[in-house]
Amino acid sequence: MPNGLEIVKAAIEDFKKIQEYMILAKKENAAETYAKLKDEYLSLKAILNVAGVNLTDIDKIKE
């Protein structure tokens, strides 16, 4: 069973990956894809905030 640190690490990796896909979707004008990714992004961001992760340096999406 994963411990708290492993869970946070996985969430950070997912957060970074989602942002990369969001940047590509925006570049390709894929509005529906971007919107779906943004939902996941916001969920992960909320989880990381609750976990106390400082997102200042890793959050590339400035909305």
Side-chain angles (χ1 to χ4, degrees):
M1 178 171 237
N3 64 31
L5 185 58
E6 291 170 336
I7 293 169
V8 171
K9 182 179 183 270
I12 290 171
E13 290 170 358
D14 289 345
F15 185 73
K16 288 180 173 182
K17 196 180 313 180
I18 289 293
Q19 289 186 97
E20 290 174 12
Y21 292 140
M22 286 177 74
I23 291 167
L24 287 173
K26 193 168 203 171
K27 182 178 178 182
E28 295 173 353
N29 294 317
E32 289 181 47
T33 301
Y34 186 87
K36 181 66 178 164
L37 288 166
K38 188 172 180 181
D39 287 343
E40 184 70 19
Y41 160 82
L42 292 173
S43 296
L44 284 167
K45 188 172 183 175
I47 290 168
L48 292 170
N49 277 324
V50 168
V53 175
N54 182 349
L55 299 174
T56 304
D57 291 336
I58 64 170
D59 192 357
K60 297 176 185 175
I61 308 298
K62 306 296 183 198
E63 295 184 0

Short mmCIF file of all heavy atoms in Angstrom, two decimals:
data_model
loop_
_atom_site.label_atom_id
_atom_site.label_comp_id
_atom_site.label_asym_id
_atom_site.label_seq_id
_atom_site.Cartn_x
_atom_site.Cartn_y
_atom_site.Cartn_z
N MET A 1 0.85 -1.18 0.00
CA MET A 1 0.00 0.00 0.00
C MET A 1 0.90 1.24 0.00
O MET A 1 1.83 1.33 0.80
CB MET A 1 -0.90 -0.03 1.23
CG MET A 1 -1.80 1.16 1.36
SD MET A 1 -3.00 0.94 2.67
CE MET A 1 -4.46 1.18 1.72
N PRO A 2 0.60 2.19 -0.91
CA PRO A 2 1.45 3.40 -0.97
C PRO A 2 1.27 4.29 0.25
O PRO A 2 0.19 4.38 0.82
CB PRO A 2 0.96 4.11 -2.23
CG PRO A 2 -0.39 3.56 -2.50
CD PRO A 2 -0.45 2.20 -1.89
N ASN A 3 2.37 4.92 0.63
CA ASN A 3 2.29 5.87 1.75
C ASN A 3 1.96 7.26 1.21
O ASN A 3 1.87 7.48 0.01
CB ASN A 3 3.59 5.86 2.57
CG ASN A 3 4.80 6.34 1.79
OD1 ASN A 3 4.68 7.18 0.92
ND2 ASN A 3 5.96 5.80 2.10
N GLY A 4 1.79 8.21 2.13
CA GLY A 4 1.40 9.57 1.75
C GLY A 4 2.35 10.22 0.78
O GLY A 4 1.92 10.91 -0.16
N LEU A 5 3.65 10.02 0.98
CA LEU A 5 4.64 10.63 0.11
C LEU A 5 4.53 10.08 -1.31
O LEU A 5 4.63 10.83 -2.29
CB LEU A 5 6.04 10.42 0.66
CG LEU A 5 7.19 11.10 -0.06
CD1 LEU A 5 6.96 12.61 -0.11
CD2 LEU A 5 8.50 10.79 0.61
N GLU A 6 4.31 8.78 -1.44
CA GLU A 6 4.18 8.18 -2.77
C GLU A 6 2.92 8.68 -3.48
O GLU A 6 2.93 8.90 -4.69
CB GLU A 6 4.14 6.65 -2.65
CG GLU A 6 5.47 6.05 -2.21
CD GLU A 6 5.35 4.57 -1.85
OE1 GLU A 6 4.25 4.11 -1.50
OE2 GLU A 6 6.38 3.89 -1.92
N ILE A 7 1.86 8.87 -2.73
CA ILE A 7 0.61 9.37 -3.31
C ILE A 7 0.80 10.80 -3.81
O ILE A 7 0.37 11.15 -4.91
CB ILE A 7 -0.54 9.29 -2.27
CG1 ILE A 7 -0.86 7.83 -1.98
CG2 ILE A 7 -1.76 10.05 -2.75
CD1 ILE A 7 -1.77 7.61 -0.80
N VAL A 8 1.45 11.65 -3.01
CA VAL A 8 1.70 13.03 -3.41
C VAL A 8 2.62 13.06 -4.63
O VAL A 8 2.39 13.84 -5.56
CB VAL A 8 2.28 13.85 -2.24
CG1 VAL A 8 2.76 15.21 -2.71
CG2 VAL A 8 1.25 14.01 -1.14
N LYS A 9 3.63 12.21 -4.64
CA LYS A 9 4.55 12.16 -5.77
C LYS A 9 3.80 11.80 -7.06
O LYS A 9 4.00 12.44 -8.10
CB LYS A 9 5.66 11.15 -5.52
CG LYS A 9 6.69 11.07 -6.63
CD LYS A 9 7.77 10.05 -6.29
CE LYS A 9 8.82 10.01 -7.34
NZ LYS A 9 8.58 9.07 -8.41
N ALA A 10 2.93 10.81 -6.98
CA ALA A 10 2.14 10.40 -8.14
C ALA A 10 1.21 11.53 -8.59
O ALA A 10 1.06 11.77 -9.79
CB ALA A 10 1.34 9.14 -7.82
N ALA A 11 0.61 12.24 -7.64
CA ALA A 11 -0.28 13.35 -7.98
C ALA A 11 0.49 14.47 -8.66
O ALA A 11 -0.01 15.09 -9.62
CB ALA A 11 -0.99 13.86 -6.74
N ILE A 12 1.69 14.76 -8.19
CA ILE A 12 2.53 15.79 -8.82
C ILE A 12 2.88 15.39 -10.25
O ILE A 12 2.81 16.21 -11.17
CB ILE A 12 3.80 16.06 -7.99
CG1 ILE A 12 3.43 16.78 -6.69
CG2 ILE A 12 4.82 16.87 -8.79
CD1 ILE A 12 4.58 16.92 -5.71
N GLU A 13 3.23 14.13 -10.45
CA GLU A 13 3.56 13.66 -11.79
C GLU A 13 2.35 13.77 -12.71
O GLU A 13 2.46 14.21 -13.86
CB GLU A 13 4.09 12.23 -11.74
CG GLU A 13 5.47 12.13 -11.11
CD GLU A 13 5.90 10.69 -10.84
OE1 GLU A 13 5.12 9.75 -11.10
OE2 GLU A 13 7.03 10.52 -10.35
N ASP A 14 1.17 13.39 -12.21
CA ASP A 14 -0.06 13.51 -12.99
C ASP A 14 -0.36 14.98 -13.29
O ASP A 14 -0.78 15.32 -14.40
CB ASP A 14 -1.24 12.88 -12.25
CG ASP A 14 -1.18 11.37 -12.20
OD1 ASP A 14 -0.39 10.77 -12.96
OD2 ASP A 14 -1.92 10.79 -11.38
N PHE A 15 -0.15 15.85 -12.31
CA PHE A 15 -0.39 17.28 -12.47
C PHE A 15 0.48 17.84 -13.59
O PHE A 15 0.00 18.57 -14.46
CB PHE A 15 -0.11 17.99 -11.14
CG PHE A 15 -0.42 19.45 -11.12
CD1 PHE A 15 -1.73 19.90 -11.09
CD2 PHE A 15 0.60 20.39 -11.11
CE1 PHE A 15 -2.02 21.26 -11.05
CE2 PHE A 15 0.32 21.75 -11.07
CZ PHE A 15 -0.99 22.18 -11.05
N LYS A 16 1.74 17.49 -13.58
CA LYS A 16 2.65 17.97 -14.62
C LYS A 16 2.25 17.45 -16.00
O LYS A 16 2.27 18.18 -16.99
CB LYS A 16 4.09 17.54 -14.31
CG LYS A 16 4.71 18.29 -13.16
CD LYS A 16 6.13 17.80 -12.93
CE LYS A 16 6.87 18.61 -11.91
NZ LYS A 16 8.26 18.15 -11.75
N LYS A 17 1.86 16.17 -16.06
CA LYS A 17 1.46 15.56 -17.33
C LYS A 17 0.20 16.22 -17.88
O LYS A 17 0.13 16.53 -19.08
CB LYS A 17 1.22 14.06 -17.11
CG LYS A 17 1.19 13.25 -18.38
CD LYS A 17 0.96 11.77 -18.11
CE LYS A 17 1.84 11.24 -17.01
NZ LYS A 17 1.61 9.81 -16.75
N ILE A 18 -0.78 16.44 -17.03
CA ILE A 18 -2.02 17.09 -17.45
C ILE A 18 -1.73 18.49 -18.01
O ILE A 18 -2.30 18.89 -19.04
CB ILE A 18 -3.02 17.18 -16.28
CG1 ILE A 18 -3.58 15.81 -15.94
CG2 ILE A 18 -4.15 18.17 -16.56
CD1 ILE A 18 -4.46 15.19 -16.99
N GLN A 19 -0.83 19.21 -17.36
CA GLN A 19 -0.48 20.55 -17.85
C GLN A 19 0.15 20.49 -19.24
O GLN A 19 -0.15 21.33 -20.09
CB GLN A 19 0.49 21.24 -16.89
CG GLN A 19 -0.14 21.63 -15.59
CD GLN A 19 0.81 22.42 -14.74
OE1 GLN A 19 0.76 23.64 -14.75
NE2 GLN A 19 1.68 21.75 -14.02
N GLU A 20 1.00 19.50 -19.48
CA GLU A 20 1.62 19.36 -20.79
C GLU A 20 0.54 19.12 -21.85
O GLU A 20 0.58 19.71 -22.94
CB GLU A 20 2.62 18.21 -20.79
CG GLU A 20 3.87 18.49 -19.98
CD GLU A 20 4.78 17.27 -19.87
OE1 GLU A 20 4.58 16.29 -20.61
OE2 GLU A 20 5.69 17.31 -19.03
N TYR A 21 -0.42 18.25 -21.53
CA TYR A 21 -1.51 17.98 -22.47
C TYR A 21 -2.38 19.20 -22.67
O TYR A 21 -2.85 19.46 -23.79
CB TYR A 21 -2.36 16.80 -21.99
CG TYR A 21 -1.65 15.46 -22.02
CD1 TYR A 21 -1.84 14.55 -20.99
CD2 TYR A 21 -0.81 15.10 -23.06
CE1 TYR A 21 -1.20 13.32 -20.99
CE2 TYR A 21 -0.17 13.87 -23.08
CZ TYR A 21 -0.36 12.97 -22.04
OH TYR A 21 0.26 11.76 -22.06
N MET A 22 -2.60 19.98 -21.62
CA MET A 22 -3.39 21.20 -21.74
C MET A 22 -2.71 22.20 -22.67
O MET A 22 -3.38 22.83 -23.51
CB MET A 22 -3.59 21.84 -20.36
CG MET A 22 -4.58 21.11 -19.49
SD MET A 22 -4.71 21.86 -17.86
CE MET A 22 -5.63 23.36 -18.23
N ILE A 23 -1.42 22.34 -22.53
CA ILE A 23 -0.66 23.26 -23.38
C ILE A 23 -0.77 22.83 -24.85
O ILE A 23 -1.00 23.65 -25.74
CB ILE A 23 0.80 23.36 -22.91
CG1 ILE A 23 0.86 24.09 -21.57
CG2 ILE A 23 1.67 24.05 -23.96
CD1 ILE A 23 2.19 23.98 -20.84
N LEU A 24 -0.65 21.52 -25.10
CA LEU A 24 -0.79 21.01 -26.48
C LEU A 24 -2.20 21.21 -27.01
O LEU A 24 -2.39 21.63 -28.16
CB LEU A 24 -0.44 19.52 -26.53
CG LEU A 24 1.03 19.17 -26.40
CD1 LEU A 24 1.21 17.66 -26.31
CD2 LEU A 24 1.83 19.72 -27.57
N ALA A 25 -3.20 20.93 -26.18
CA ALA A 25 -4.60 21.09 -26.61
C ALA A 25 -4.90 22.55 -26.96
O ALA A 25 -5.58 22.83 -27.94
CB ALA A 25 -5.54 20.58 -25.53
N LYS A 26 -4.38 23.46 -26.14
CA LYS A 26 -4.60 24.89 -26.41
C LYS A 26 -3.92 25.29 -27.72
O LYS A 26 -4.50 26.02 -28.54
CB LYS A 26 -4.08 25.72 -25.25
CG LYS A 26 -4.53 27.16 -25.29
CD LYS A 26 -4.24 27.86 -24.00
CE LYS A 26 -5.14 29.05 -23.83
NZ LYS A 26 -5.05 29.64 -22.52
N LYS A 27 -2.70 24.80 -27.92
CA LYS A 27 -1.94 25.10 -29.14
C LYS A 27 -2.68 24.59 -30.38
O LYS A 27 -2.66 25.24 -31.42
CB LYS A 27 -0.55 24.47 -29.04
CG LYS A 27 0.36 24.73 -30.20
CD LYS A 27 1.71 24.09 -29.96
CE LYS A 27 2.63 24.30 -31.14
NZ LYS A 27 3.92 23.64 -30.94
N GLU A 28 -3.34 23.43 -30.24
CA GLU A 28 -4.05 22.82 -31.37
C GLU A 28 -5.51 23.29 -31.46
O GLU A 28 -6.26 22.78 -32.29
CB GLU A 28 -4.00 21.30 -31.23
CG GLU A 28 -2.61 20.74 -31.35
CD GLU A 28 -2.52 19.25 -31.05
OE1 GLU A 28 -3.53 18.66 -30.61
OE2 GLU A 28 -1.44 18.69 -31.25
N ASN A 29 -5.89 24.24 -30.61
CA ASN A 29 -7.26 24.76 -30.58
C ASN A 29 -8.30 23.65 -30.35
O ASN A 29 -9.38 23.67 -30.93
CB ASN A 29 -7.59 25.55 -31.84
CG ASN A 29 -6.78 26.82 -31.94
OD1 ASN A 29 -6.60 27.53 -30.95
ND2 ASN A 29 -6.27 27.10 -33.12
N ALA A 30 -7.95 22.69 -29.50
CA ALA A 30 -8.85 21.59 -29.16
C ALA A 30 -9.61 21.98 -27.89
O ALA A 30 -9.27 21.56 -26.78
CB ALA A 30 -8.05 20.31 -28.96
N ALA A 31 -10.62 22.81 -28.06
CA ALA A 31 -11.33 23.41 -26.93
C ALA A 31 -11.99 22.37 -26.02
O ALA A 31 -11.92 22.48 -24.79
CB ALA A 31 -12.38 24.39 -27.44
N GLU A 32 -12.63 21.35 -26.59
CA GLU A 32 -13.29 20.34 -25.77
C GLU A 32 -12.28 19.52 -24.98
O GLU A 32 -12.50 19.22 -23.81
CB GLU A 32 -14.16 19.43 -26.63
CG GLU A 32 -15.40 20.11 -27.17
CD GLU A 32 -16.26 19.18 -27.99
OE1 GLU A 32 -16.52 18.05 -27.53
OE2 GLU A 32 -16.66 19.59 -29.09
N THR A 33 -11.20 19.16 -25.63
CA THR A 33 -10.14 18.41 -24.96
C THR A 33 -9.53 19.25 -23.84
O THR A 33 -9.31 18.76 -22.73
CB THR A 33 -9.05 18.00 -25.97
OG1 THR A 33 -9.65 17.21 -26.99
CG2 THR A 33 -7.94 17.22 -25.29
N TYR A 34 -9.29 20.51 -24.13
CA TYR A 34 -8.73 21.41 -23.12
C TYR A 34 -9.66 21.51 -21.91
O TYR A 34 -9.20 21.45 -20.77
CB TYR A 34 -8.49 22.79 -23.72
CG TYR A 34 -7.79 23.74 -22.78
CD1 TYR A 34 -6.40 23.77 -22.71
CD2 TYR A 34 -8.51 24.59 -21.94
CE1 TYR A 34 -5.75 24.63 -21.84
CE2 TYR A 34 -7.87 25.45 -21.07
CZ TYR A 34 -6.49 25.46 -21.03
OH TYR A 34 -5.85 26.32 -20.14
N ALA A 35 -10.95 21.64 -22.16
CA ALA A 35 -11.91 21.76 -21.06
C ALA A 35 -11.92 20.52 -20.18
O ALA A 35 -11.97 20.61 -18.95
CB ALA A 35 -13.30 22.03 -21.62
N LYS A 36 -11.86 19.36 -20.79
CA LYS A 36 -11.84 18.10 -20.03
C LYS A 36 -10.55 17.99 -19.22
O LYS A 36 -10.57 17.60 -18.05
CB LYS A 36 -11.98 16.91 -20.99
CG LYS A 36 -11.99 15.59 -20.31
CD LYS A 36 -13.23 15.42 -19.45
CE LYS A 36 -13.23 14.04 -18.83
NZ LYS A 36 -14.16 13.95 -17.72
N LEU A 37 -9.44 18.34 -19.83
CA LEU A 37 -8.16 18.32 -19.12
C LEU A 37 -8.16 19.32 -17.97
O LEU A 37 -7.60 19.05 -16.90
CB LEU A 37 -7.01 18.62 -20.09
CG LEU A 37 -6.67 17.52 -21.09
CD1 LEU A 37 -5.78 18.07 -22.19
CD2 LEU A 37 -6.03 16.33 -20.40
N LYS A 38 -8.81 20.47 -18.19
CA LYS A 38 -8.85 21.49 -17.14
C LYS A 38 -9.60 20.98 -15.91
O LYS A 38 -9.22 21.27 -14.78
CB LYS A 38 -9.49 22.77 -17.66
CG LYS A 38 -9.38 23.91 -16.66
CD LYS A 38 -9.83 25.22 -17.24
CE LYS A 38 -9.70 26.31 -16.20
NZ LYS A 38 -10.15 27.60 -16.73
N ASP A 39 -10.65 20.20 -16.12
CA ASP A 39 -11.37 19.60 -14.98
C ASP A 39 -10.42 18.73 -14.15
O ASP A 39 -10.40 18.80 -12.92
CB ASP A 39 -12.55 18.75 -15.47
CG ASP A 39 -13.71 19.57 -15.97
OD1 ASP A 39 -13.78 20.78 -15.66
OD2 ASP A 39 -14.56 19.00 -16.67
N GLU A 40 -9.65 17.91 -14.84
CA GLU A 40 -8.69 17.03 -14.15
C GLU A 40 -7.61 17.86 -13.47
O GLU A 40 -7.20 17.58 -12.34
CB GLU A 40 -8.08 16.06 -15.16
CG GLU A 40 -7.16 15.04 -14.56
CD GLU A 40 -7.88 13.99 -13.72
OE1 GLU A 40 -9.10 13.83 -13.87
OE2 GLU A 40 -7.21 13.34 -12.91
N TYR A 41 -7.14 18.88 -14.15
CA TYR A 41 -6.13 19.79 -13.62
C TYR A 41 -6.60 20.43 -12.31
O TYR A 41 -5.88 20.46 -11.32
CB TYR A 41 -5.82 20.85 -14.68
CG TYR A 41 -5.17 22.11 -14.19
CD1 TYR A 41 -3.80 22.17 -13.98
CD2 TYR A 41 -5.93 23.26 -13.96
CE1 TYR A 41 -3.20 23.35 -13.55
CE2 TYR A 41 -5.34 24.43 -13.53
CZ TYR A 41 -3.97 24.47 -13.33
OH TYR A 41 -3.39 25.63 -12.89
N LEU A 42 -7.84 20.92 -12.31
CA LEU A 42 -8.37 21.58 -11.12
C LEU A 42 -8.53 20.60 -9.96
O LEU A 42 -8.26 20.95 -8.81
CB LEU A 42 -9.70 22.27 -11.43
CG LEU A 42 -9.59 23.48 -12.36
CD1 LEU A 42 -10.98 23.97 -12.75
CD2 LEU A 42 -8.77 24.59 -11.74
N SER A 43 -8.92 19.38 -10.26
CA SER A 43 -9.04 18.35 -9.21
C SER A 43 -7.68 18.04 -8.60
O SER A 43 -7.53 17.98 -7.38
CB SER A 43 -9.66 17.07 -9.78
OG SER A 43 -10.97 17.30 -10.21
N LEU A 44 -6.70 17.83 -9.46
CA LEU A 44 -5.35 17.54 -8.97
C LEU A 44 -4.78 18.73 -8.19
O LEU A 44 -4.13 18.54 -7.16
CB LEU A 44 -4.42 17.17 -10.12
CG LEU A 44 -4.60 15.79 -10.71
CD1 LEU A 44 -3.86 15.67 -12.03
CD2 LEU A 44 -4.13 14.72 -9.73
N LYS A 45 -5.05 19.92 -8.67
CA LYS A 45 -4.56 21.12 -7.99
C LYS A 45 -5.15 21.22 -6.59
O LYS A 45 -4.44 21.54 -5.63
CB LYS A 45 -4.91 22.36 -8.82
CG LYS A 45 -4.28 23.64 -8.32
CD LYS A 45 -4.52 24.76 -9.31
CE LYS A 45 -3.84 26.02 -8.85
NZ LYS A 45 -3.93 27.10 -9.83
N ALA A 46 -6.45 20.91 -6.47
CA ALA A 46 -7.10 20.94 -5.16
C ALA A 46 -6.49 19.90 -4.22
O ALA A 46 -6.21 20.19 -3.04
CB ALA A 46 -8.60 20.70 -5.32
N ILE A 47 -6.27 18.70 -4.72
CA ILE A 47 -5.67 17.64 -3.90
C ILE A 47 -4.28 18.05 -3.44
O ILE A 47 -3.93 17.87 -2.27
CB ILE A 47 -5.62 16.32 -4.69
CG1 ILE A 47 -7.03 15.77 -4.89
CG2 ILE A 47 -4.73 15.29 -4.00
CD1 ILE A 47 -7.14 14.65 -5.89
N LEU A 48 -3.48 18.58 -4.34
CA LEU A 48 -2.12 18.99 -3.98
C LEU A 48 -2.13 20.15 -2.99
O LEU A 48 -1.28 20.21 -2.10
CB LEU A 48 -1.32 19.32 -5.23
CG LEU A 48 -1.01 18.11 -6.13
CD1 LEU A 48 -0.42 18.56 -7.45
CD2 LEU A 48 -0.08 17.14 -5.43
N ASN A 49 -3.07 21.07 -3.14
CA ASN A 49 -3.18 22.16 -2.18
C ASN A 49 -3.50 21.63 -0.79
O ASN A 49 -2.91 22.08 0.20
CB ASN A 49 -4.23 23.18 -2.62
CG ASN A 49 -3.69 24.17 -3.63
OD1 ASN A 49 -2.55 24.58 -3.55
ND2 ASN A 49 -4.52 24.55 -4.57
N VAL A 50 -4.44 20.69 -0.70
CA VAL A 50 -4.81 20.10 0.58
C VAL A 50 -3.61 19.37 1.19
O VAL A 50 -3.42 19.38 2.41
CB VAL A 50 -6.02 19.16 0.43
CG1 VAL A 50 -6.24 18.32 1.67
CG2 VAL A 50 -7.27 19.95 0.10
N ALA A 51 -2.81 18.76 0.32
CA ALA A 51 -1.62 18.03 0.79
C ALA A 51 -0.49 18.97 1.20
O ALA A 51 0.53 18.53 1.70
CB ALA A 51 -1.13 17.06 -0.29
N GLY A 52 -0.67 20.27 0.95
CA GLY A 52 0.34 21.25 1.35
C GLY A 52 1.46 21.45 0.36
O GLY A 52 2.51 22.00 0.70
N VAL A 53 1.25 21.02 -0.88
CA VAL A 53 2.28 21.17 -1.91
C VAL A 53 2.26 22.60 -2.44
O VAL A 53 1.21 23.12 -2.80
CB VAL A 53 2.05 20.17 -3.07
CG1 VAL A 53 3.05 20.40 -4.19
CG2 VAL A 53 2.12 18.75 -2.56
N ASN A 54 3.43 23.23 -2.48
CA ASN A 54 3.57 24.57 -3.04
C ASN A 54 3.63 24.43 -4.57
O ASN A 54 4.59 23.90 -5.11
CB ASN A 54 4.83 25.23 -2.51
CG ASN A 54 5.01 26.65 -3.02
OD1 ASN A 54 4.32 27.09 -3.91
ND2 ASN A 54 5.96 27.35 -2.43
N LEU A 55 2.61 24.93 -5.23
CA LEU A 55 2.51 24.78 -6.68
C LEU A 55 3.14 25.92 -7.47
O LEU A 55 3.13 25.89 -8.70
CB LEU A 55 1.04 24.64 -7.07
CG LEU A 55 0.31 23.45 -6.47
CD1 LEU A 55 -1.17 23.51 -6.82
CD2 LEU A 55 0.90 22.15 -6.94
N THR A 56 3.69 26.89 -6.79
CA THR A 56 4.22 28.08 -7.45
C THR A 56 5.18 27.74 -8.58
O THR A 56 5.08 28.31 -9.68
CB THR A 56 4.93 28.99 -6.42
OG1 THR A 56 4.02 29.30 -5.38
CG2 THR A 56 5.42 30.26 -7.07
N ASP A 57 6.10 26.84 -8.34
CA ASP A 57 7.12 26.54 -9.35
C ASP A 57 6.68 25.53 -10.40
O ASP A 57 7.26 25.48 -11.48
CB ASP A 57 8.39 26.03 -8.67
CG ASP A 57 9.09 27.13 -7.87
OD1 ASP A 57 8.91 28.32 -8.19
OD2 ASP A 57 9.82 26.79 -6.93
N ILE A 58 5.67 24.72 -10.10
CA ILE A 58 5.30 23.66 -11.04
C ILE A 58 4.01 23.95 -11.81
O ILE A 58 3.70 23.24 -12.74
CB ILE A 58 5.21 22.28 -10.36
CG1 ILE A 58 4.10 22.24 -9.31
CG2 ILE A 58 6.56 21.86 -9.79
CD1 ILE A 58 3.82 20.83 -8.77
N ASP A 59 3.28 24.96 -11.44
CA ASP A 59 2.02 25.28 -12.12
C ASP A 59 2.31 26.17 -13.32
O ASP A 59 2.59 27.36 -13.19
CB ASP A 59 1.04 25.95 -11.17
CG ASP A 59 -0.35 26.05 -11.72
OD1 ASP A 59 -0.55 25.64 -12.89
OD2 ASP A 59 -1.24 26.53 -11.01
N LYS A 60 2.25 25.57 -14.52
CA LYS A 60 2.53 26.31 -15.76
C LYS A 60 1.29 26.99 -16.31
O LYS A 60 1.39 27.87 -17.15
CB LYS A 60 3.06 25.34 -16.82
CG LYS A 60 4.36 24.69 -16.46
CD LYS A 60 4.75 23.68 -17.52
CE LYS A 60 6.00 22.93 -17.10
NZ LYS A 60 6.34 21.87 -18.05
N ILE A 61 0.11 26.56 -15.87
CA ILE A 61 -1.15 27.11 -16.36
C ILE A 61 -1.52 28.28 -15.44
O ILE A 61 -1.82 28.10 -14.28
CB ILE A 61 -2.26 26.05 -16.34
CG1 ILE A 61 -1.85 24.78 -17.06
CG2 ILE A 61 -3.56 26.64 -16.91
CD1 ILE A 61 -1.52 24.94 -18.52
N LYS A 62 -1.50 29.47 -15.97
CA LYS A 62 -1.77 30.66 -15.16
C LYS A 62 -3.13 31.23 -15.51
O LYS A 62 -3.25 32.20 -16.24
CB LYS A 62 -0.67 31.72 -15.39
CG LYS A 62 0.73 31.23 -15.17
CD LYS A 62 0.98 30.83 -13.75
CE LYS A 62 2.45 30.42 -13.59
NZ LYS A 62 2.69 29.65 -12.41
N GLU A 63 -4.18 30.58 -15.04
CA GLU A 63 -5.55 31.04 -15.31
C GLU A 63 -6.21 31.35 -14.01
O GLU A 63 -6.07 30.73 -13.03
CB GLU A 63 -6.35 29.95 -16.02
CG GLU A 63 -5.82 29.63 -17.39
CD GLU A 63 -6.70 28.61 -18.11
OE1 GLU A 63 -7.70 28.15 -17.56
OE2 GLU A 63 -6.35 28.29 -19.22
#
